[in-house]
Amino acid sequence: MDEIRIFDGHNDTLLNLHLPDRGEGRSFFERSNLGHIDLPRAREGGFGGGFFACYVPNPDDAWTEESALTVTDEGYEVSDAPPLDPNYARSFADGLVDSLFGLEAGDGLRIVRTADELESCLDSGDLAAILHFEGAENLGPDPGALEDLYETDLRSLGLVWSRPNAYAHGVPFRFPSSPDTGPGLTGAGKELVRECNRLGVLIDLSHLNERGFWDVAELSEAPLVATHSNAHALCPSSRNLTDRQLDAIRDSDGMVGVNFAVGFLREDGGESEDTPLETVVGHVDYLVGRLGIDGVSFGSDFDGAKVPKGIGNVSGLPELLVALQAGGYDEPALEKLTHGNWIRALRATWQG
Ligand SMILES: [Zn+2]
């Protein structure tokens, strides 16, 4: 098999490089054993690029996932993260945007704004990066900032991370749990969906609660896309998608990027890296069964989550392709799963 280039729906590499306690000072351009993605390991793994998320953590003293965690008999519950101050979110996000432009100023990565630019990167070997905001509070206090950010190459927006903001309510991390955890979009959220459609900005449904999902499904004219979520039927986490949601995504010609985070893969919701690659293949199989082979790709969550040790980091992606081949996916199917579907869905969303 020729080398297959993999385009991926979600990484948190910008934050990992940005925060000294996460990235430990590593450079994107040098091979490291820290984190999941750097340029040399990306090339080794056939990683052609992905959505580079600008995610703003809650300020440390206010709330952390660790301190908010309660272990229950069956799984866990993370109590609601408080909303961020939009001025804080915007200024932190601006720092992450600057760092992505900083990576582009080096050699080997390009920020892409069209499906043609993405395809040309996959051909040339430059890493293709989509500038993605994980949480619309990153726009700052004025949603009109979306248009300015579009001019600055923003092409993808998750309405929420797993906390509320002025637009919508994210799902708190819970296992087992339905994703139906709270109210739907606010009036400002509905306005923002229309504005994303008008500009051609992808609306990411991952982290959104179920009522918010149905509001977007009703309003949006674009294919429904969850960049990094899995099948709730196999792993009943609040972060995963129910069969009804998957059917709505299929009916919109949308797609789902399979998340490698073990907590969203395993049927016990646990955090063990000792999770076989067959578990990832199981989610791919299930999603392909619901959405068809044109509706599924990857959304690794590299640099943001624990992944199966059989993948380990971005250089381990070929191991996943081997497991998928063993599971019956031939080369044309793998071409779709690894990048063809993303190109199709992005072309339809961006209209170019
Ligand atoms: Zn996420």
Side-chain angles (χ1 to χ4, degrees):
M1 180 164 67
D2 295 340
E3 195 200 22
I4 287 189
R5 307 271 293 165
I6 295 160
F7 187 79
D8 177 68
H10 191 87
N11 71 64
D12 284 305
T13 303
L14 295 177
L15 184 73
N16 188 278
L17 293 168
H18 187 77
L19 291 182
D21 58 326
R22 297 203 193 192
E24 296 180 49
R26 71 191 176 98
S27 158
F28 183 74
F29 297 99
E30 285 164 29
R31 197 179 202 293
S32 171
N33 294 320
L34 302 168
H36 289 150
I37 297 179
D38 52 48
L39 192 59
R41 284 184 291 173
R43 289 189 168 139
E44 266 174 58
F47 183 77
F51 289 64
F52 280 65
C54 295
Y55 159 66
V56 180
N58 283 76
D60 276 349
D61 49 350
W63 183 91
T64 65
E65 261 173 78
E66 293 74 26
S67 66
L69 176 73
T70 308
V71 176
T72 64
D73 286 349
E74 296 168 281
Y76 60 87
E77 266 185 43
V78 174
S79 63
D80 290 6
L84 294 184
D85 171 67
N87 287 304
Y88 166 80
R90 176 63 194 266
S91 83
F92 195 105
D94 280 345
L96 296 172
V97 172
D98 285 349
S99 61
L100 184 58
F101 278 93
L103 297 186
E104 191 183 39
D107 202 18
L109 177 145
R110 276 176 56 200
I111 299 170
V112 296
R113 293 151 300 188
T114 65
D116 285 347
E117 288 179 357
L118 168 53
E119 284 197 285
S120 103
C121 279
L122 292 176
D123 288 343
S124 73
D126 279 340
L127 225 62
I130 293 174
L131 178 56
H132 168 73
F133 271 11
E134 190 169 29
E137 60 269 54
N138 293 4
L139 300 174
D142 173 16
L146 181 67
E147 188 151 5
D148 300 334
L149 284 155
Y150 181 86
E151 297 300 329
T152 322
D153 298 347
L154 184 77
R155 288 294 179 275
S156 175
L157 175 71
L159 297 179
V160 282
W161 183 69
S162 285
R163 66 188 158 215
N165 62 26
Y167 308 97
H169 292 74
V171 282
F173 299 106
R174 292 181 190 162
F175 182 96
S177 169
S178 152
D180 187 10
T181 56
L185 302 193
T186 64
K190 291 178 182 173
E191 207 41 59
L192 192 58
V193 168
R194 291 189 195 98
E195 196 56 8
C196 285
N197 281 174
R198 183 180 75 80
L199 292 167
V201 171
L202 182 138
I203 300 161
D204 181 14
L205 296 161
S206 290
H207 290 277
L208 186 58
N209 69 11
E210 190 172 354
R211 277 176 245 182
F213 176 100
W214 293 118
D215 284 340
V216 176
E218 191 181 310
L219 274 171
S220 177
E221 289 156 10
L224 299 175
V225 173
T227 58
H228 60 305
S229 294
N230 291 335
H232 195 271
L234 301 187
C235 168
S237 159
S238 57
R239 271 283 283 107
N240 286 339
L241 297 157
T242 65
D243 287 349
R244 264 189 77 217
Q245 289 179 298
L246 294 173
D247 292 349
I249 291 172
R250 176 200 61 214
D251 292 345
S252 76
D253 285 330
M255 57 177 292
V256 175
V258 172
N259 194 321
F260 303 164
V262 292
F264 308 145
L265 286 168
R266 297 171 61 88
E267 68 174 340
D268 66 4
E271 281 291 314
S272 170
E273 289 163 12
D274 228 337
T275 298
L277 293 187
E278 287 67 32
T279 310
V280 185
V281 177
H283 280 269
V284 172
D285 287 344
Y286 190 88
L287 293 170
V288 167
R290 268 339 279 187
L291 300 163
I293 192 66
D294 296 314
V296 184
S297 188
F298 303 144
S300 67
D301 228 339
F302 278 142
D303 282 323
K306 264 190 202 169
V307 304
K309 67 179 183 194
I311 298 174
N313 62 66
V314 67
S315 69
L317 283 170
E319 301 300 326
L320 178 58
L321 300 191
V322 169
L324 286 164
Q325 272 186 308
Y329 293 92
D330 60 11
E331 195 165 336
L334 288 178
E335 295 268 346
K336 290 186 175 194
L337 294 175
T338 53
H339 57 269
N341 292 340
W342 273 126
I343 293 169
R344 174 194 64 75
L346 288 165
R347 195 181 293 286
T349 304
W350 290 344
Q351 294 155 11

